[in-house]
Amino acid sequence: IKKWGSSMKHRILGIIVVTILMISLPTMVYANSSWHWLTISPLKVLPWAILLTLFIETIIIVKYGKVPNIKKVLGVICLANLISFIAPYLFRAHSHIPTSANPLLAAFERGPYYIVLGGYLLLTIVVELPIVYRFLKEITTKRNHLKWSILVANTITTLLVAIAERILCVGQW
């Protein structure tokens, strides 16, 4: 019997992983029903999520990114977070334009839309890393520490907001 090559082993492993994911993460469709929040909307959590994010990211970047100017760090973090927080809602609001008088509000209130979804960490890093690094690289004493502190800070804050949001914001169809 001919031995399997590593390519065949990878294909079989891939099929097994995809099958497990399909079974464990089923997609549900709810026809003729409306979503409503049982507790509070993520829109009401957003100001607290923003404050927590700004505080944690600023502290991590000042301390571990070796950037001594806390005011500049806070300003740059505010700019980068504003862009990364608003971007997904602008896209979502655009999809609500034909059906809503206030598309930006509809982006928050209609449907089970959490602030932090699956790709949000990637989006946050893609948007914030270049902005924060560009503005702070000249005033840090360790550029490599700055890059890592931006990545770590964004990962921590994204995970914290996602967890808090799912605990505080409960909804149903």
Side-chain angles (χ1 to χ4, degrees):
I1 297 177
K2 186 178 175 182
K3 290 186 177 181
W4 287 6
S6 66
S7 175
M8 182 59 94
K9 289 178 186 175
H10 286 119
R11 285 184 191 147
I12 291 173
L13 180 62
I15 291 169
I16 291 170
V17 168
V18 169
T19 304
I20 290 170
L21 286 174
M22 288 174 59
I23 291 169
S24 64
L25 302 171
T27 301
M28 301 176 109
V29 177
Y30 296 95
N32 297 324
S33 62
S34 297
W35 176 266
H36 63 278
W37 296 105
L38 297 174
T39 55
I40 59 173
S41 161
L43 181 59
K44 293 186 173 89
V45 175
L46 183 60
W48 298 105
I50 291 170
L51 289 174
L52 178 70
T53 297
L54 295 176
F55 176 75
I56 292 172
E57 288 182 13
T58 300
I59 297 303
I60 290 174
I61 290 172
V62 166
K63 184 171 175 126
Y64 299 104
K66 308 294 184 193
V67 182
N69 188 339
I70 194 166
K71 288 182 183 178
K72 183 158 186 173
V73 171
L74 181 60
V76 170
I77 299 269
C78 285
L79 172 68
N81 274 281
L82 180 65
I83 293 168
S84 72
F85 271 130
I86 289 178
Y89 289 106
L90 291 177
F91 289 118
R92 192 174 299 141
H94 178 70
S95 70
H96 285 288
I97 287 173
T99 61
S100 176
N102 188 341
L104 191 56
L105 185 61
F108 283 102
E109 295 294 336
R110 296 209 177 126
Y113 298 130
Y114 290 109
I115 295 168
V116 180
L117 298 170
Y120 198 80
L121 177 59
L122 178 63
L123 172 72
T124 300
I125 290 170
V126 166
V127 170
E128 292 186 35
L129 179 63
I131 294 170
V132 175
Y133 185 75
R134 183 184 185 286
F135 286 103
L136 299 179
K137 69 182 179 183
E138 299 301 325
I139 59 173
T140 184
T141 57
K142 306 257 182 167
R143 288 187 179 189
N144 201 32
H145 286 222
L146 177 61
K147 286 180 193 175
W148 281 105
S149 68
I150 297 167
L151 288 171
V152 168
N154 279 286
T155 302
I156 289 170
T157 56
T158 301
L159 292 174
L160 284 175
V161 171
I163 291 167
E165 188 175 52
R166 278 144 184 88
I167 291 171
L168 298 172
C169 305
V170 179
Q172 74 177 21
W173 289 98

